[in-house]
């Protein structure tokens, strides 16, 4: 399987890449290039600032993927940008959201506590939202598209 991972150099993204490699998949990471590629020559790295629409579209123009994992989307604008850049280029996109989309009220959370299909989408960049709100906005955009 041909896999693209946005944000695969740290935390769970790095572990995701390791698991995909162990399963024999062809993995590429897309990063800004700020962090070194921890996989060296074993994993190709596309150095693209995902917040730069033109660079993202140009960098992904001649690519295709069986699955894309987006671990670093924090706003509605970034979600829409990757949707547009990957249009017709992937069979599946998996967005990693966060528990931060839920109110910290001491209750155990479940998936139904946030409904992205009924959430009011406000387009904006990550600087315009708190972390949790940015993730909610991104999730709502992904589900709407």
């Amino acid at each position: 399987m041909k896999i693209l991972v946005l944000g695969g150099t740290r935390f769970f993204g790095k572990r995701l890449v390791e698991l995909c490699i162990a399963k024999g998949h062809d993995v590429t990471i897309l990063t800004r290039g700020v962090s070194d590629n921890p996989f060296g020559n074993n994993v190709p790295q596309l150095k693209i600032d995902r917040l730069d629409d033109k660079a993202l579209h140009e960098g992904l123009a001649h690519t295709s993927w069986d699955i894309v994992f987006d671990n670093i989307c924090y706003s509605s604008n970034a979600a829409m940008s990757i949707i547009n850049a990957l249009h017709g280029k992937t069979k599946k996109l998996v967005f990693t959201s966060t528990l931060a989309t839920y109110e910290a009220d001491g209750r155990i959370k479940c998936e139904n506590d946030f409904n992205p299909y009924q959430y009011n989408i406000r387009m904006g960049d990550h600087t315009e939202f708190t972390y949790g709100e940015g993730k909610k906005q991104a999730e709502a955009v992904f589900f709407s598209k």
Side-chain angles (χ1 to χ4, degrees):
M1 193 177 306
K2 192 172 173 189
I3 298 172
L4 176 66
V5 177
L6 281 76
T9 61
R10 299 175 24 194
F11 309 118
F12 59 87
K14 184 176 177 182
R15 182 67 178 134
L16 171 64
V17 172
E18 292 168 348
L19 291 169
C20 291
I21 291 169
K23 296 275 187 185
H25 299 302
D26 177 12
V27 182
T28 299
I29 57 174
L30 185 151
T31 73
R32 293 173 295 164
V34 174
S35 299
D36 290 333
N37 180 347
F39 309 102
N41 294 333
N42 295 326
V43 175
Q45 179 180 21
L46 299 174
K47 292 182 182 179
I48 303 170
D49 182 352
R50 73 154 316 137
L51 300 178
D52 181 339
D53 281 347
K54 183 178 179 192
L56 189 62
H57 286 259
E58 289 174 0
L60 296 175
H62 303 290
T63 66
S64 64
W65 313 95
D66 294 307
I67 188 166
V68 174
F69 291 93
D70 190 345
N71 297 325
I72 55 171
C73 187
Y74 305 109
S75 74
S76 47
N77 283 0
M80 189 60 74
S81 181
I82 196 68
I83 287 169
N84 291 333
L86 290 171
H87 182 75
K89 296 176 177 65
T90 188
K91 297 173 186 172
K92 186 172 190 176
L93 184 139
V94 176
F95 170 57
T96 306
S97 192
T98 176
L99 192 58
T101 61
Y102 303 102
E103 181 183 351
D105 59 7
R107 288 187 316 111
I108 295 175
K109 305 302 180 197
C110 66
E111 195 75 24
N112 294 334
D113 289 340
F114 175 70
N115 185 344
Y117 293 106
Q118 296 179 347
Y119 200 70
N120 183 36
I121 296 173
R122 292 179 297 137
M123 299 309 294
D125 293 319
H126 71 283
T127 57
E128 299 173 51
F129 306 111
T130 63
Y131 174 77
E133 180 61 23
K135 284 293 207 176
K136 284 181 184 178
Q137 291 295 327
E139 193 168 331
V141 168
F142 282 128
F143 275 85
S144 74
K145 299 297 179 185

